[in-house]
Amino acid sequence: MVVLVAGPGDPSRELASSIAETVGGRLIIPVWKRFPDGEHYVRIPEQLNSDRVYVVQTLGPPQNDSLVQAMLLADAALGSGASSVGLIAPYTAYSRQDKRFLPGEPISIKVVLRALSSAGYDELITVEIHKPNTLDWFQGRALNLSPYEYMAGKLDFEGDILVLSPDLGAIERARRLASALDADYDYLVKHRDRVTGEVTMEPKEIPARGKTIILVDDIISTGGTIARATRLLFRQGARKVYALVAHALLVGNALEKLEGSGILRIYAANTVARRKSAILEYIDIGPLIGRSLSV
Ligand code: R5P
């Protein structure tokens, strides 16, 4: 029987339970504590009888703690008798630093994926990693799930729908979602200052008048991209603006920024710790992940 070991905190525990329910697996909740100096402690309180084990642990904020916890869990599972251990990390930290944008920088995602391999994981299942080809740095089977079509299947949008990506590089996401919704798609033109992080949107003419717009993006971090896009679209006559995202990190004052933008609702997968807001709704992707397990 497949065993799901839940990482601590939100949303790892809920996701592990949802995946266990989907595959009919056994759910184990480890014992956690933190030493006075900040180091993590974990113990799996049951013997694993040569079972195939999946650790379910988001690598979302606080990323560095999440990463260490994931690595400790791999060794704990193998030491408790697991035959092998895979990691279900619905959010993979450091995935946006996938090249040396400026001289002297590290390729952070390469370092992270190699560290997870060394910790003992032979499989990584993640959701919408920033660049799927970076998974080649993981030494084992790696699977990158796209949540958008699954999420759209749980929703009901009304009106004349137009799906938009915030930039040309992400248009494939918009194309796939538009095809699932039988709608049109297009892209906006975004620029980000590599040093300040400031986002600007070019005033590209979009046939937005009277439309229900669905902005699709992998990550909302500071909220700058979606807030600016929403304002631009309302100026161009959009009737309603929604966002569908895989990872709602919502750092700093992102939620306040988005609440003030006029966006109607943000639908996010439950891949990182959840926040509360009238404009935010989470969709459980446990069943989507469960169906992808190699058991
Ligand atoms: C960038 O390449 C990503 O696809 C997102 O558009 C970006 O991470 C969003 O960041 P923010 O919410 O800070 O604008």
Side-chain angles (χ1 to χ4, degrees):
M1 177 189 268
V2 63
V3 172
L4 282 305
V5 173
D10 182 60
S12 305
R13 208 167 268 202
E14 183 212 56
L15 204 51
S17 144
S18 166
I19 297 167
E21 202 174 301
T22 304
V23 300
R26 182 156 67 102
L27 177 66
I28 294 181
I29 309 286
V31 176
W32 286 99
K33 70 175 182 186
R34 197 114 194 218
F35 290 106
D37 62 359
E39 290 181 358
H40 293 279
Y41 168 91
V42 61
R43 189 172 71 81
I44 294 177
E46 297 174 41
Q47 189 57 27
L48 302 168
N49 304 315
S50 303
D51 295 309
R52 170 63 174 161
V53 168
Y54 283 99
V55 165
V56 181
Q57 165 74 343
T58 180
L59 302 180
Q63 293 90 334
N64 303 336
D65 288 317
S66 305
L67 267 167
V68 170
Q69 288 165 340
M71 292 194 278
L72 297 182
L73 276 170
D75 194 64
L78 291 168
S80 303
S83 60
S84 56
V85 61
L87 175 63
I88 297 171
Y91 176 75
T92 303
Y94 292 96
S95 66
R96 283 170 288 176
Q97 182 71 29
D98 56 10
K99 63 178 177 187
R100 300 185 209 279
F101 295 97
L102 298 174
E105 291 178 348
I107 304 175
S108 308
I109 186 61
K110 175 179 75 178
V111 177
V112 165
L113 293 175
R114 290 199 172 157
L116 291 170
S117 306
S118 309
Y121 290 112
D122 66 358
E123 184 179 3
L124 171 64
I125 298 175
T126 191
V127 178
E128 195 62 349
I129 193 164
H130 191 58
K131 294 264 173 60
N133 64 342
T134 56
L135 285 170
D136 291 346
W137 280 305
F138 181 78
Q139 284 143 17
R141 176 186 186 246
L143 185 62
N144 180 43
L145 298 173
S146 167
Y148 310 109
E149 289 96 328
Y150 176 82
M151 292 168 74
K154 304 270 164 206
L155 300 168
D156 199 12
F157 294 106
E158 285 173 359
D160 190 1
I161 299 170
L162 177 64
V163 179
L164 290 176
S165 63
D167 53 35
L168 178 59
I171 195 159
E172 181 52 21
R173 254 180 230 130
R175 191 197 62 73
R176 286 202 319 260
L177 179 60
S179 147
L181 294 169
D182 197 18
D184 289 333
Y185 67 99
D186 203 335
Y187 63 95
L188 295 165
V189 183
K190 164 177 113 171
H191 297 289
R192 184 185 294 274
D193 185 309
R194 277 275 152 220
V195 177
T196 63
E198 184 69 20
V199 171
T200 47
M201 285 277 168
E202 250 181 43
K204 178 185 171 191
E205 272 307 314
I206 295 283
R209 188 150 302 281
K211 297 266 173 75
T212 295
I213 307 283
I214 303 171
L215 289 163
V216 60
D217 207 356
D218 56 347
I219 297 177
I220 294 183
S221 181
T222 64
T225 301
I226 296 294
R228 277 181 203 281
T230 301
R231 288 212 171 84
L232 177 76
L233 290 161
F234 278 130
R235 281 201 299 275
Q236 297 194 1
R239 199 162 74 85
K240 293 175 178 172
V241 180
Y242 297 94
L244 193 68
V245 301
H247 313 296
L249 296 181
L250 297 166
V251 303
N253 67 344
L255 256 183
E256 289 79 355
K257 217 185 278 179
L258 290 159
E259 282 163 351
S261 73
I263 196 160
L264 219 65
R265 186 140 303 186
I266 296 164
Y267 297 105
N270 56 340
T271 64
V272 294
R274 288 166 294 182
R275 302 274 301 276
K276 279 199 172 12
S277 162
I279 61 161
L280 197 51
E281 190 172 320
Y282 290 95
I283 295 173
D284 174 28
I285 56 163
L288 173 75
I289 296 174
R291 291 201 288 268
S292 77
L293 299 193
S294 55
V295 286

